[in-house]
Amino acid sequence: MLKAPPEGTCSCSQNTQIDAKPLKDALKEKERESPLIQTSTFDGPYYWPAMLNATADILHGFFFWSILTSLGVLIWYFPLWHMGISGYEVMVMSPASPLILAIPFVRSLAIKHLRWLHMSSLVGLVAWLVKDPAYRLFTVSFAVMLGCIAWSAEWYAERRNSARLQRRILAWGIGFVLSSIAKFANHTNNPVWPILHSGIGGWNKTGLVIALAAVWRSTRPDAFSGGDYVPPNAKKGSSLLAGLGLGGLFFSMHSLLSDSSTMILWVWEGYPVRGPLAVPHGAVTIVVMSLGLFLGSALPGFFGSWTAYGLGAVGAALLTCYGHWTGYYGALILASYTMGVAPVLISSAAQHSPASTFGFGYFMYNIMVLFHVWVVAYAFVPGGPLVREHTDWVMITMMLLIGAGVFSALTTNLVYQPKSKPSPRGRKQSSYYLHVLLVLQLLTASIAYLRFPTYDYAPYHPEEKLITAGIWTIHFSLDNDDWSSERRMRDAIKELELDVVGLLESDLQRIIMGNRDTTQYLAEDLGMYVDYGPGPNKHTWGSALLSKFPILNSTHHLLPSPVGELAPAIEATLDVYGTQVDAFVFHSGQEEDPEDRRLQTEYLSKLMGATPRPAILLSYLVVKPGEGNYNTYVSELSGMHDIDVRDWDRWCEYILYKDIKRVGYARVSRGTITDTEIQVGKFVVGEPASYTDERISEEQVPPGRRFPALFRGEGVRGHRYHVFDEPWYYA
């Protein structure tokens, strides 16, 4: 018999208890349906095995991107030494290998043997063992071909299972983010690239072991869980447009986001600092990339819309047209959009034949790679003058390609939707990848903290008020045997005790050069301020300035070049022991363009003559001493003096000075690092300037003003005093 509730109590409390459980369940169900709320995965016995699987998948994506991004820098070695097209550039077409999947038998074979395709592509990680640069390139080219076929076939094979396809795309995308983080940690070099070995910062052996384990686990067979329902005769978007979209996507990711400092250097315009710096703001770029990828997987409807595309186009326009913070804000918008639209475009393309989407997409990516090299290498390539200095055309084309992919995806993804809302299990599996992505953000922040500049730099001989200045053409930081040369450059600069050094041929921020920045490593390791010089969107081969002294102000100049390659210059004012000294770093045009060089000579000579401060020119002039344009550089117009007019055996590099006391001059052989020597001048601040040609012996020079004895005789590592075999000193 039921008892009535005690008098004075309300039965609604019982009703509330009865309704509480259904209400709680309803709220949980609503949370599960939200695209931004993931099912909790931090409990249960399967969390860590699932995290291990997700980590293996992401590492798989990382090694794919590591191999792909190494291809360009291996190709670059050959036109660099041939001073023009060498024939090896054809290897840039290697990523278009998925075109072979148009053959049904090959496509079936690739899908059936995906594990072995992926494993075989890891041959690119052992390429560092191949000493000959040509065979090393062939090895990596073969690996890229296999990797692109494998990933394209895998996406196509998963086209009817949207949950697994999303996980594969996430792994590939987060692997790309991880490759950018690895470069951020390693001063823009990827530690598993074949231009590195253990002696110069490579982690090749460790990387290979991890890759073998990760890819083997990543390619484990998945239990089939059914597929998505697709109506018969469902309408699809254009496969051609989908391929165009992929071409724009791959190019945007590789050219702008594969290194976190690339877009920062696009907007860099000198001192005082008015915008982002590679460190720490490279970490901001990586975080925004990651956020874009997360939102793209959670909100595919938005990122596949024209609204998101419009925002991405605005970001691209701001990056292209503006410098400083405004340009960087555009860069962040574009980074977020590019990563966010990747899942949309790839999942759409997977519904078509992989040859017509991924194969054609990689082909268009290759065309874009050549396009963005042609705009700066126009003086050396056929048809180059037609696209000279048109990075704006490159960016417009890139966004139009992505727009074509969005147009196709709007039709395809409308039909090819999951058969039902994602199951909690499916969402849980995807969330493991996002947990790894979150951990990577913490890693990025830690790297930024550890790399944060100290700005406590000191010159080598402050007691003498000495400034040792050098000029070096570094040949894009690739040595004679196609190895990265930063560390040996560091050693030479440190042992020569250079307080100020101008670096020429230093802009490496293109796909074909690996999207690198040598100055980051040199500045941090040597303790120097750095001005990267005109950015990669300024279409020069680069000029950079490193200084132990604070850079108070710097201006970048693009000198007149109506016919040939652009001539970059940096005009910087340094605080040298309390005295302001101007340093100019300059690379003139080619010998084949005499009118360009005449105009550049007049421009720079007037610029140097206009400064009322002591000045030093660190330059590459392409002239014989005492002849032609030399007499304009060394003239009343410029006010500059040659460091030694009796040194007749010069053509490229020169050091000029005015209103500062010169005390020494030396020429140091290049070793095998590059094709050009190092020239060094020593100057003293606070003593009267002297232009006498009277030389004195080293015994008459105070020890703090002498050149290192290390480079006498046979020298060290191929560097020695040459031409006149010893330093010269002046009264």
Side-chain angles (χ1 to χ4, degrees):
M1 182 175 179
L2 293 175
K3 293 185 179 179
E7 187 178 355
T9 63
C10 180
S11 62
C12 65
S13 62
Q14 292 181 344
N15 295 334
T16 300
Q17 292 176 359
I18 294 171
D19 294 341
K21 186 173 182 180
L23 178 61
K24 186 177 180 181
D25 291 342
L27 288 173
K28 284 186 176 181
E29 182 64 27
K30 187 175 182 180
E31 287 183 356
R32 282 197 294 267
E33 293 176 0
S34 171
L36 293 176
I37 300 176
Q38 296 295 325
T39 305
S40 174
T41 56
F42 290 101
D43 53 6
Y46 303 110
Y47 176 72
W48 291 111
M51 281 291 288
L52 185 60
N53 290 338
T55 302
D57 291 348
I58 289 167
L59 285 171
H60 184 183
F62 164 75
F63 287 112
F64 166 78
W65 279 107
S66 298
I67 295 169
L68 177 62
T69 53
S70 72
L71 178 65
V73 72
L74 291 174
I75 294 172
W76 177 238
Y77 171 85
F78 296 96
L80 182 60
W81 284 100
H82 284 80
M83 292 294 289
I85 293 180
S86 63
Y88 290 94
E89 293 82 2
V90 70
M91 294 299 169
V92 79
M93 302 306 293
S94 301
S97 57
L99 287 170
I100 200 174
L101 296 177
I103 304 173
F105 168 74
V106 175
R107 183 167 64 242
S108 299
L109 197 65
I111 294 173
K112 184 178 180 180
H113 299 288
L114 276 174
R115 165 172 277 187
W116 297 108
L117 269 177
H118 283 300
M119 293 295 292
S120 298
S121 72
L122 298 182
V123 68
L125 297 179
V126 301
W128 101 93
L129 295 173
V130 182
K131 305 305 179 186
D132 183 276
Y135 291 122
R136 204 185 319 163
L137 169 60
F138 297 154
T139 304
V140 170
S141 176
F142 177 69
V144 168
M145 292 170 65
L146 292 180
C148 291
I149 290 172
W151 278 96
S152 301
E154 182 160 13
W155 285 327
Y156 177 74
E158 300 289 6
R159 68 193 183 281
R160 294 293 184 264
N161 191 308
S162 57
R164 282 213 300 263
L165 178 59
Q166 182 193 45
R167 293 200 295 273
R168 297 302 186 196
I169 296 171
L170 273 176
W172 181 83
I174 300 175
F176 175 74
V177 172
L178 180 56
S179 73
S180 189
I181 294 172
K183 293 184 70 182
F184 185 51
N186 204 44
H187 305 91
T188 75
N189 272 329
N190 188 314
V192 298
W193 273 351
I195 60 168
L196 299 176
H197 53 72
S198 59
I200 53 175
W203 285 33
N204 311 82
K205 296 177 182 177
T206 303
L208 179 61
V209 171
I210 294 174
L212 290 171
V215 174
W216 184 262
R217 187 176 182 96
S218 174
T219 55
R220 65 200 177 279
D222 268 342
F224 184 75
S225 58
D228 303 326
Y229 171 73
V230 178
N233 302 318
K235 183 179 178 181
K236 291 193 287 188
S238 167
S239 62
L240 175 65
L241 295 181
L244 292 175
L246 290 179
L249 172 70
F250 297 157
F251 175 74
S252 180
M253 293 174 68
H254 194 169
S255 66
L256 298 175
L257 305 180
S258 63
D259 186 84
S260 60
S261 65
T262 299
M263 295 189 296
I264 290 173
L265 294 175
W266 272 50
V267 303
W268 168 253
E269 294 185 9
Y271 286 85
V273 176
R274 292 156 288 176
L277 298 172
V279 179
H281 298 104
V284 177
T285 304
I286 292 171
V287 170
V288 170
M289 288 165 54
S290 303
L291 180 62
L293 182 60
F294 164 66
L295 292 176
S297 63
L299 302 171
F302 172 74
F303 276 89
S305 69
W306 289 117
T307 301
Y309 176 78
L311 291 173
V314 169
L318 291 175
L319 172 62
T320 305
C321 300
Y322 294 91
H324 310 310
W325 287 112
T326 301
Y328 185 58
Y329 295 146
L332 295 181
I333 294 171
L334 180 59
S336 177
Y337 174 72
T338 298
M339 298 302 295
V341 80
V344 176
L345 297 185
I346 294 173
S347 59
S348 167
Q351 308 304 326
H352 302 272
S353 164
S356 61
T357 53
F358 298 108
F360 180 60
Y362 276 117
F363 175 79
M364 290 305 303
Y365 152 82
N366 293 333
I367 297 300
M368 291 299 296
V369 170
L370 295 175
F371 189 4
H372 100 302
V373 174
W374 250 238
V375 299
V376 66
Y378 53 83
F380 302 94
V381 295
L386 298 176
V387 296
R388 170 178 174 157
E389 301 176 53
H390 276 300
T391 288
D392 53 344
W393 291 3
V394 174
M395 296 294 285
I396 290 170
T397 305
M398 180 188 81
M399 291 308 300
L400 289 175
L401 291 176
I402 292 176
V406 170
F407 185 82
S408 176
L410 283 171
T411 301
T412 303
N413 289 347
L414 185 64
V415 176
Y416 289 82
Q417 294 293 332
K419 59 186 176 183
S420 61
K421 292 179 180 179
S423 66
R425 181 178 180 274
R427 295 180 61 78
K428 181 177 288 190
Q429 288 179 328
S430 294
S431 70
Y432 296 124
Y433 296 83
L434 301 178
H435 290 176
V436 177
L437 186 61
L438 178 62
V439 172
L440 292 180
Q441 307 318 297
L442 301 177
L443 175 62
T444 300
S446 301
I447 294 167
Y449 174 78
L450 293 173
R451 288 190 58 193
F452 197 87
T454 59
Y455 298 120
D456 58 351
Y457 314 136
Y460 287 98
H461 295 284
E463 72 285 355
E464 295 285 348
K465 289 194 171 182
L466 186 72
I467 174 172
T468 303
I471 180 67
W472 200 1
T473 305
I474 60 172
H475 224 220
F476 304 96
S477 300
L478 287 178
D479 72 10
N480 300 1
D481 300 309
D482 203 15
W483 297 108
S484 186
S485 56
E486 291 93 344
R487 292 181 182 245
R488 288 192 294 151
M489 287 167 53
R490 181 271 318 269
D491 294 339
I493 292 171
K494 185 175 184 179
E495 290 162 353
L496 281 167
E497 299 181 343
L498 299 185
D499 300 305
V500 176
V501 58
L503 303 178
L504 303 175
E505 297 182 357
S506 57
D507 184 0
L508 319 179
Q509 285 287 358
R510 288 179 180 81
I511 289 175
I512 200 74
M513 304 167 191
N515 290 97
R516 298 178 293 147
D517 177 11
T518 297
T519 65
Q520 288 188 37
Y521 175 75
L522 295 178
E524 290 183 33
D525 195 274
L526 294 169
M528 304 178 84
Y529 301 91
V530 59
D531 185 342
Y532 182 86
N537 56 334
K538 300 301 192 297
H539 315 104
T540 79
W541 297 122
S543 61
L545 174 68
L546 296 168
S547 172
K548 288 281 189 179
F549 305 102
I551 303 175
L552 303 178
N553 184 78
S554 64
T555 304
H556 303 159
H557 299 270
L558 301 179
L559 276 62
S561 306
V563 178
E565 60 187 7
L566 287 182
I570 300 174
E571 175 190 10
T573 301
L574 312 180
D575 180 0
V576 182
Y577 308 113
T579 299
Q580 292 189 7
V581 176
D582 284 354
F584 295 86
V585 181
F586 169 61
H587 191 312
S588 79
Q590 299 168 264
E591 180 184 2
E592 294 83 357
D593 303 311
E595 179 62 12
D596 284 18
R597 289 188 290 113
R598 185 187 68 79
L599 294 172
Q600 294 159 9
T601 301
E602 293 180 354
Y603 183 105
L604 185 63
S605 297
K606 291 177 182 177
L607 193 66
M608 295 187 294
T611 178
R613 295 175 287 273
I616 301 170
L617 171 66
L618 307 169
S619 62
Y620 189 105
L621 300 184
V622 192
V623 66
K624 291 183 178 180
E627 298 181 11
N629 293 326
Y630 173 93
N631 296 312
T632 306
Y633 287 118
V634 181
S635 67
E636 291 185 4
L637 176 64
S638 69
M640 303 296 283
H641 297 260
D642 194 343
I643 196 166
D644 197 310
V645 296
R646 293 164 297 184
D647 184 6
W648 60 269
D649 187 19
R650 286 175 293 172
W651 171 250
C652 297
E653 293 180 345
Y654 284 81
I655 297 176
L656 309 182
Y657 70 104
K658 74 173 183 179
D659 298 335
I660 189 171
K661 184 174 182 179
R662 167 206 56 183
V663 296
Y665 171 48
R667 299 176 64 176
V668 180
S669 59
R670 64 183 186 268
T672 60
I673 290 180
T674 175
D675 63 348
T676 312
E677 67 175 359
I678 313 169
Q679 288 191 11
V680 185
K682 286 184 178 288
F683 305 89
V684 172
V685 173
E687 296 185 11
S690 172
Y691 304 114
T692 177
D693 289 328
E694 178 187 353
R695 290 205 298 265
I696 59 177
S697 66
E698 188 169 75
E699 289 73 19
Q700 296 175 274
V701 178
R705 298 185 182 184
R706 296 176 185 174
F707 283 93
L710 182 67
F711 297 95
R712 288 186 175 274
E714 294 299 317
V716 57
R717 298 183 309 279
H719 301 298
R720 64 179 182 85
Y721 298 123
H722 74 153
V723 182
F724 30 89
D725 297 331
E726 63 179 358
W728 284 352
Y729 298 98
Y730 305 91

